[in-house]
Amino acid sequence: MDKQHSIKRIGVLTGGGDCPGLNAVIRAVTKAAIAEHEFEVFGIEDGYLGLIENRIRRLTFNDVSNILDRGGTILGTSNKANPAHFCVGHNSAGEPIFEDVTDTALKHVSEHGLDLLVCIGGDGTMSGASRLVSRGLHVIGVPKTIDNDLAHTEVTFGFDTAVSTATDAMDRLRTTASSHHRVMLLELMGRNAGWITLHTGAAGGADILLIPEIEYNLEAVCESCLRRSKSGRAYTLVAVSEGAKPIGGQVVVDHVVHESPDPIRLGGVSEVLCEQIAEQTRLECRATILGHVQRGGAPTAHDRVLATMFGHEAVNMIVRGEFDRMVAMQGGRLTSVPIAEVADRQRLVPLDHPLVAACRATGASFGD
Ligand code: F6P
């Protein structure tokens, strides 16, 4: 029998941190699956958590109408629920107890008669998917994250919206920085990858960009700020990644989510830098941590289009029998890569990236 003819019922879940465009993918997958192939579609609530807790519901055409422009995810999500490493409680010392509950998840898949899952998520979600694949379940992955750091795809949906939101913030900081002749730092998300900062810094004309891939030298950062203030351009805009760190130093950890498979949450480097720059330069400094605003709100037109193409391609892959692979964009073309090759990997900014060179050429410093 043709592989695609064995697929009749598919499940869809959104895992990890949310981002704009998730609903556009859910819509594209559900509509294309129902209208073009008469599949039955089931939505799994809160990512792998709903699979473990058996919260699975039928999705109809109407359920996914009018959600294209809506941020977040109508299915909910969780970034603490990898079935292979799931927190089932805490010991008397308050430490989490982890168990492999993959069997429970697979039992619920089979109770609902699901032939395949479409897992929309980042590296953590692909890691969970990879484990399910190794247990014999068919999965198609769709690459999501504002961080744009998934391996083997040059773009993820959600990134464009995050950069657009962050650029708006940087534009606003420029006017107030200029009025008060201040050094303004804008701290951006991205974990250990500097994509959001690089693109926001380029689009917002940041004077200094501090990204995790290029460790900064505090002296060089202060030098740049002082040079600008002396040259009459009496303010400085600094775009700084939450994962930026000084040469030979450490990242700033905001808190630890012990139940999460990826427990470290970064944050606060801009506040540390703000104090250090103020002390060393005597310039007035302010730090803004943009935070989860970058993950919220309506997707840009670009992300709606990308999410729709990714979702439709996921269904095309099911029909072609191209299982256990993630949709990817390479050289501007849709393609796919094995999910196992994406799991637990991060795509960092290469030091010879043309946008790094363009920023340097237009006068920006990377603090090195
Ligand atoms: O991966 C997306 C992301 O927003 C990162 O940029 C950030 O470091 C992290 O998630 C924040 O996680 P949480 O939503 O758990 O605070």
Side-chain angles (χ1 to χ4, degrees), residues 183 185 207-208 210 216-230 235-236 238 272-285 365-368:
V183 176
L185 297 105
D207 308 298
I208 303 175
L210 304 179
Y216 63 82
N217 172 354
L218 182 61
E219 308 303 319
V221 173
C222 292
E223 246 324 285
S224 296
C225 297
L226 282 173
R227 207 176 314 121
R228 280 185 60 81
S229 91
K230 283 179 194 146
Y235 70 93
T236 303
V238 187
V272 171
L273 271 164
C274 186
E275 268 189 36
Q276 291 174 329
I277 297 170
E279 198 183 303
Q280 293 208 15
T281 64
R282 298 282 148 213
L283 295 169
E284 214 182 343
C285 304
S365 158
F366 282 80
D368 52 346

Side-chain angles (χ1 to χ4, degrees), residues 109-353:
V109 167
S110 101
E111 274 173 18
H112 288 271
L114 303 180
D115 303 308
L116 177 145
L117 294 187
V118 176
C119 295
I120 310 165
D123 59 334
T125 304
M126 294 311 145
S127 160
S130 180
R131 169 82 180 167
L132 295 174
V133 166
S134 73
R135 294 289 306 275
L137 180 66
H138 283 316
V139 178
I140 302 284
V142 181
K144 157 245 75 159
T145 168
I146 62 162
D147 304 338
N148 201 33
D149 63 347
L150 272 192
H152 303 298
T153 182
E154 58 205 19
V155 68
T156 55
F157 69 87
F159 173 65
D160 184 69
T161 308
V163 169
S164 161
T165 302
T167 302
D168 180 58
M170 179 142 276
D171 290 346
R172 288 169 193 273
L173 286 179
R174 177 182 296 284
T175 61
T176 173
S178 154
S179 307
H180 288 269
H181 318 299
R182 285 173 169 160
V183 176
M184 287 291 203
L185 297 105
L186 178 62
E187 180 173 323
L188 301 165
M189 282 185 163
R191 298 190 297 172
N192 302 111
W195 294 107
I196 297 178
T197 301
L198 177 61
H199 282 246
T200 301
D207 308 298
I208 303 175
L209 293 85
L210 304 179
I211 62 174
E213 294 84 350
I214 303 175
E215 293 185 343
Y216 63 82
N217 172 354
L218 182 61
E219 308 303 319
V221 173
C222 292
E223 246 324 285
S224 296
C225 297
L226 282 173
R227 207 176 314 121
R228 280 185 60 81
S229 91
K230 283 179 194 146
S231 73
R233 289 185 297 268
Y235 70 93
T236 303
L237 284 177
V238 187
V240 51
S241 295
E242 60 181 2
K245 52 184 181 303
I247 295 168
Q250 298 299 319
V251 291
V252 178
V253 175
D254 182 69
H255 64 284
V256 179
V257 183
H258 293 284
E259 297 79 13
S260 169
D262 184 14
I264 303 296
R265 297 293 183 273
L266 300 170
V269 63
S270 61
E271 286 169 339
V272 171
L273 271 164
C274 186
E275 268 189 36
Q276 291 174 329
I277 297 170
E279 198 183 303
Q280 293 208 15
T281 64
R282 298 282 148 213
L283 295 169
E284 214 182 343
C285 304
R286 295 288 186 275
T288 301
I289 302 179
L290 198 55
H292 291 81
V293 169
Q294 292 158 95
R295 293 230 304 256
T300 57
H302 176 275
D303 274 337
R304 295 179 204 186
V305 169
L306 190 63
T308 301
M309 288 205 304
F310 279 177
H312 184 231
E313 182 62 9
V315 174
N316 290 340
M317 284 164 62
I318 298 173
V319 174
R320 293 197 298 264
E322 218 173 298
F323 300 142
D324 311 333
R325 299 175 71 84
M326 184 190 80
V327 181
M329 187 74 84
Q330 290 177 358
R333 288 176 167 272
L334 283 175
T335 180
S336 71
V337 293
I339 283 176
E341 284 183 20
V342 182
D344 293 322
R345 297 210 188 151
Q346 256 196 313
R347 189 178 67 95
L348 302 179
V349 175
L351 298 186
D352 61 352
H353 192 284

Side-chain angles (χ1 to χ4, degrees), residues 12-19 22-23 26 43-51 55 57 59 67 70-79 81 118 120-121 125 144:
V12 184
L13 65 80
T14 51
D18 71 341
C19 80
L22 285 166
N23 285 325
I26 296 168
I44 297 152
E45 294 175 2
D46 297 338
Y48 293 124
L49 192 61
L51 205 57
R55 290 186 279 115
R57 59 183 153 96
L59 285 181
I67 63 167
R70 214 193 290 171
T73 158
I74 60 161
L75 293 174
T77 185
S78 165
N79 56 9
V118 176
I120 310 165
T125 304
K144 157 245 75 159

